[in-house]
């Protein structure tokens, strides 16, 4: 994985849902091995944008996607591309943790198993590795084979992160991944993201400006389905170019 | 005023509950009171002897075994049809698909068709196919009766799924088939309840098997031979002029009730093992 030049290049991406124009002519380049935060007011299309990156819109026939998204120079909307490979490559951490109806162990082993990444012998090592990485190992090592359902929300979210990472993605997409968590769990997940950007390219949707300030190397600001401004975080926060951006940062609307 | 409204409503709820519970107790009470004295080891281990229906020795083993064969076959066929259909309309077809609506609507109509109509239809079908009253005929007809129930209650059971589960599975790179396998674990208890509902309905129905499965005092030897069933056995015993035989009908009803109870405990036990890690 290391060595390849991560990058996402989006060219005239348009998304229509039920005839409504939700994402309008998005042109954007997202830098590799950094944390990019997508911010903007509620309903501006952040989740829709994220879903177009792992082709989850394929599941809804009311959604029409046009344009190109090049991930590592490969258009993921190309007809010859297998959507399974795309979803494996673009790991998604959803807003609400959703463990699978199986044991803690099997949750983490799920991805490696369906993609046959590990042999039977290796799998318990893999599970331990990713549970440790997600900072959950010590809390669950004695109940690996009991259900994941009774875990706390924060634990469930870290389990989902471990599960996602075990699937060996190269990109991590987070859709307000900390919004249902308490401050301590949030902090743990945020620290994880910072560690993970060494190896992964991370794209986080958030509507908490402070979180974006804490984490982002690169910012994408969306408003009503359009990208108003995108750039390195320092520049974005200290020297915004658009009036709308200035207003948003100042908190005059949210 | 509000208080009065609430109180009136409460009274209605309590009356309704009492009626239902009372009815249930009355039915169970009758079966138990009349059935228990007539219940004997012979009832469940012996075939009806000569003159059984006039008060001679024997039991209803023919009907117990026949009913179990018929319902096992019918439930198997029904699940094989319903499960893929329900998976298809819920997980493969898009949400607002008109086809899914049409399927549900058709099954809703079939749900309201009286069982005697299925019996008559099954009989006509058998004549057309040149079959005689047989185990196979009974299985097919009972399968027709219970498939709408099975399908619609499977369909309802899928609604108990956590909303995010399919998306989580797909975004991990699962295929639809892999996704459904996991979803099945989550939904299994609901499916088992649905299957039990259909089983209870099918095993207790007399009209469907009347012309199609036939009746015999022996055990069904093959699919093409007639098979006795408990509802018909109860019917014939109740029709006897001998009071003792009539009481045996209640004992048979008790046996039928127990069969359903045992099936339902067993099914629930295995399903809870299978999906013990449910969300
Ligand atoms: N499945 C759908 N059907 C119809 N409209 C949709 C659907 N999904 C999204 N939309 C519409 O697309 C627009 C953008 O929604 P999206 O969920 O992407 O916003 P968001 O920026 O993620 O908002 P939030 O911060 O509240 O999560 C909204 O106007 C929403 O109503
Ligand atoms: Mg959103």
């Amino acid at each position: 994985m290391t060595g390849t030049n991560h990058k996402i290049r989006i060219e005239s991406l348009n998304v229509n849902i039920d005839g409504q124009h939700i994402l309008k002519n998005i042109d954007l380049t997202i830098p590799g091995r950094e944390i990019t935060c997508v911010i903007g007011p509620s309903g501006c299309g952040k989740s829709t944008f994220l879903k177009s990156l792992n082709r989850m819109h394929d599941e809804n026939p009311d959604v029409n996607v046009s344009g190109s998204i090049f991930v590592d120079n490969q258009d993921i909307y190309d007809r010859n591309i297998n959507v399974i490979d795309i979803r494996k490559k673009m790991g998604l951490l959803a807003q609400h943790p959703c463990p699978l109806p199986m044991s803690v162990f099997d949750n983490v082993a799920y991805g490696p198993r369906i993609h046959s990444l590990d042999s039977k012998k290796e799998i318990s090592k893999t599970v331990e590795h990713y549970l440790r990485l997600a900072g959950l190992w010590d809390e669950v090592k004695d109940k690996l084979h009991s259900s994941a359902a009774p875990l706390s929300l924060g634990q469930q979210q870290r389990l989902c992160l471990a599960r996602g990472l075990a699937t060996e993605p190269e990109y991590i997409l987070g859709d307000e991944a900390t919004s249902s968590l308490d401050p301590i769990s949030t902090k743990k997940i945020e620290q994880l993201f910072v560690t993970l950007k060494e190896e992964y390219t991370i794209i986080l949707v958030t509507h908490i400006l402070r979180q974006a300030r804490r984490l982002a190397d690169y910012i994408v600001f969306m408003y009503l389905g359009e990208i108003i401004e995108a750039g390195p975080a320092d520049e974005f926060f200290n020297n915004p170019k658009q009036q709308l951006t200035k207003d948003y940062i100042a908190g005059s609307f949210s | 005023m509000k208080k009065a409204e609430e109180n009136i409503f409460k009274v209605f709820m309590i009356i309704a509950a009492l009626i239902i519970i009372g009815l249930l107790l009355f039915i169970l009470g009758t079966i138990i009171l009349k059935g228990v004295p007539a219940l004997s080891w012979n009832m469940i281990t012996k075939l009806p002897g000569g003159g059984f229906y006039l008060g001679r020795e024997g039991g209803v083993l023919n009907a117990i075994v026949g009913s179990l064969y018929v319902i096992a076959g019918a439930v198997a066929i029904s699940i094989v049809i319903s499960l893929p259909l329900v998976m298809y309309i819920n997980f493969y077809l898009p949400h607002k698909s008109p086809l899914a609506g049409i399927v549900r609507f058709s099954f809703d109509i079939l749900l309201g068709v009286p069982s005697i109509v299925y019996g008559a239809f099954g009989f006509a079908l058998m004549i057309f196919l040149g079959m005689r009253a047989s185990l196979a005929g009974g299985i097919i007809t009972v399968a027709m009766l219970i498939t709408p129930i099975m399908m619609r209650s499977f369909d309802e059971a899928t609604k108990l799924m956590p909303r995010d589960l399919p998306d989580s599975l797909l975004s991990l790179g699962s295929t639809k088939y892999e996704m459904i396998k996991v979803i099945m674990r989550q939904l299994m208890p609901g499916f088992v309840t649905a299957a039990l509902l259909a089983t209870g309905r099918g095993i207790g129905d007399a009209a469907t098997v009347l012309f199609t499965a036939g009746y015999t005092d022996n055990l069904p030897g093959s699919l093409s031979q007639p098979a006795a069933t408990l509802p018909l056995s109860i019917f014939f015993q109740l029709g006897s002029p001998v009071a003792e035989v009539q009481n045996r009908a209640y004992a048979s009803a008790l046996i039928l009730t127990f069969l359903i109870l045992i099936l339902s405990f067993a099914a629930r036990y295995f399903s809870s093992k299978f999906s013990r890690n449910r969300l």
Side-chain angles (χ1 to χ4, degrees):
Chain A
M1 175 174 16
T2 37
T4 56
N5 229 343
H6 278 190
K7 198 169 72 176
I8 298 178
R9 199 173 80 247
I10 298 164
E11 287 178 3
S12 47
L13 175 72
N14 281 281
V15 176
N16 287 278
I17 305 181
D18 262 338
Q20 271 183 298
H21 202 177
I22 304 294
L23 291 187
K24 298 162 191 164
N25 264 316
I26 306 274
D27 283 297
L28 182 69
T29 301
I30 294 176
R33 298 219 169 74
E34 289 195 347
I35 296 179
T36 297
C37 282
V38 182
I39 59 174
S42 182
C44 70
K46 305 183 295 293
S47 299
T48 307
F49 172 71
L50 211 60
K51 278 186 178 178
S52 48
L53 292 178
N54 71 343
R55 285 190 47 184
M56 283 304 284
H57 291 312
D58 288 20
E59 305 305 323
N60 186 348
D62 294 337
V63 183
N64 182 16
V65 181
S66 68
S68 309
I69 299 181
F70 294 92
V71 174
D72 305 340
N73 290 320
Q74 201 178 32
D75 184 0
I76 63 170
Y77 282 91
D78 189 294
R79 297 180 70 207
N80 297 322
I81 288 225
N82 186 352
V83 66
I84 303 289
D85 297 336
I86 297 304
R87 290 186 186 151
K88 183 189 165 299
K89 191 170 187 172
M90 317 293 278
L92 178 78
L93 190 57
Q95 178 164 8
H96 303 286
C98 181
L100 306 178
M102 34 180 100
S103 68
V104 171
F105 185 94
D106 290 341
N107 260 273
V108 185
Y110 182 76
R113 278 180 184 148
I114 61 170
H115 299 293
S116 335
L117 301 175
D118 290 298
S119 69
K120 277 224 164 68
K121 275 186 194 158
E122 291 168 313
I123 200 109
S124 51
K125 274 204 190 123
T126 308
V127 169
E128 177 174 346
H129 172 74
Y130 287 106
L131 281 172
R132 280 190 192 281
L133 189 57
L136 192 61
W137 176 253
D138 290 329
E139 290 156 68
V140 298
K141 63 172 185 268
D142 299 324
K143 41 187 174 182
L144 283 178
H145 295 286
S146 50
S147 170
L151 297 181
S152 76
L153 265 189
Q155 290 173 326
Q156 286 187 3
Q157 191 64 316
R158 278 178 286 147
L159 178 68
C160 289
L161 187 58
R163 182 182 71 195
L165 294 175
T167 309
E168 297 183 5
E170 294 173 35
Y171 294 78
I172 298 172
L173 315 174
D175 192 352
E176 308 195 17
T178 60
S179 67
S180 55
L181 304 182
D182 61 286
I184 293 174
S185 308
T186 301
K187 204 170 164 201
K188 282 187 184 164
I189 299 252
E190 283 184 2
Q191 283 168 345
L192 256 168
F193 283 142
V194 175
T195 336
L196 290 172
K197 74 175 177 184
E198 305 275 317
E199 278 197 65
Y200 302 85
T201 299
I202 302 175
I203 302 165
L204 303 175
V205 162
T206 176
H207 61 225
I208 311 166
L209 261 180
R210 268 175 298 139
Q211 188 171 45
R213 280 183 198 271
R214 283 196 297 266
L215 296 177
D217 302 303
Y218 199 82
I219 297 270
V220 176
F221 171 49
M222 292 179 62
Y223 186 71
L224 295 178
E226 288 177 272
I227 293 184
I228 303 298
E229 191 165 345
D234 291 344
E235 213 177 303
F236 181 90
F237 284 115
N238 299 324
N239 189 13
K241 296 187 181 56
Q242 305 290 330
Q243 187 56 40
L244 211 53
T245 314
K246 288 175 191 161
D247 292 346
Y248 188 72
I249 295 173
S252 25
F253 68 96
S254 63
Chain B
M1 193 53 215
K2 271 204 162 163
K3 187 88 185 150
E5 242 175 54
E6 172 143 1
N7 282 337
I8 292 171
F9 190 62
K10 256 189 198 159
V11 170
F12 270 115
M13 291 195 293
I14 291 169
I15 290 177
L18 286 180
I19 290 177
I20 296 294
I21 295 170
L23 210 59
L24 186 70
L25 287 179
F26 177 68
I27 295 173
L28 277 180
T30 313
I31 299 175
I32 291 172
L33 278 182
K34 294 199 175 183
V36 167
L39 203 57
S40 67
W41 194 238
N42 277 350
M43 274 297 282
I44 50 175
T45 55
K46 288 244 159 73
L47 294 173
F52 173 74
Y53 301 96
L54 295 169
R56 292 271 197 79
E57 282 285 285
V60 292
L61 184 64
N62 60 331
I64 297 175
V65 174
S67 269
L68 287 176
Y69 281 176
V70 169
I71 200 65
V75 166
I77 292 177
S78 183
I79 288 179
V80 167
I81 295 171
S82 311
L83 202 54
L85 180 62
V86 168
M87 291 297 144
Y88 182 68
I89 64 175
N90 280 288
F91 300 118
Y92 280 82
L93 286 181
H95 256 301
K96 285 166 271 176
S97 155
L99 183 58
I102 292 170
V103 170
R104 290 196 174 99
F105 182 67
S106 328
F107 276 89
D108 279 344
I109 292 176
L110 290 176
L111 212 50
V113 173
S115 59
I116 187 74
V117 175
Y118 285 106
F121 178 73
F123 187 55
L125 187 71
M126 286 166 61
I127 289 177
F128 177 75
L129 294 175
M131 287 165 69
R132 292 198 304 154
S134 60
L135 181 55
I139 287 176
I140 292 170
T141 316
V142 173
M144 289 195 284
L145 171 76
I146 64 176
T147 299
I149 306 170
M150 193 81 85
M151 187 267 161
R152 286 305 266 131
S153 20
F154 278 174
D155 197 31
E156 287 302 312
T158 59
K159 294 197 178 136
L160 297 174
M161 184 178 55
R163 238 185 49 231
D164 297 335
L165 188 56
D167 277 0
S168 310
L169 286 160
L170 290 176
S171 64
L172 286 167
S174 310
T175 60
K176 279 272 170 84
Y177 177 67
E178 285 161 345
M179 173 188 91
I180 285 175
K181 280 200 292 188
V182 175
I183 286 177
M184 281 294 292
R185 292 167 178 244
Q186 175 70 17
L187 297 182
M188 190 49 79
F191 283 175
V192 167
T193 307
L196 285 172
L197 199 70
T199 305
R201 180 82 176 77
I203 204 171
D205 194 76
T208 37
V209 285
L210 186 58
F211 309 121
T212 56
Y215 197 80
T216 167
D217 282 346
N218 295 312
L219 297 178
S222 76
L223 281 172
S224 56
Q225 283 175 20
T229 42
L230 275 168
L232 288 184
S233 175
I234 293 169
F235 176 71
F236 292 138
Q237 293 173 76
L238 271 181
S240 161
V242 185
E244 200 191 324
V245 180
Q246 287 178 12
N247 283 343
R248 284 192 205 148
Y250 287 99
S252 307
L254 207 54
I255 293 170
L256 182 57
T257 315
F258 261 107
L259 271 185
I260 296 174
L261 212 63
I262 292 168
L263 285 178
S264 110
F265 275 128
R268 279 181 210 286
Y269 176 75
F270 287 113
S271 88
S272 70
K273 285 243 140 160
F274 180 70
S275 48
R276 73 201 134 90
N277 290 326
R278 255 159 46 94
L279 301 181

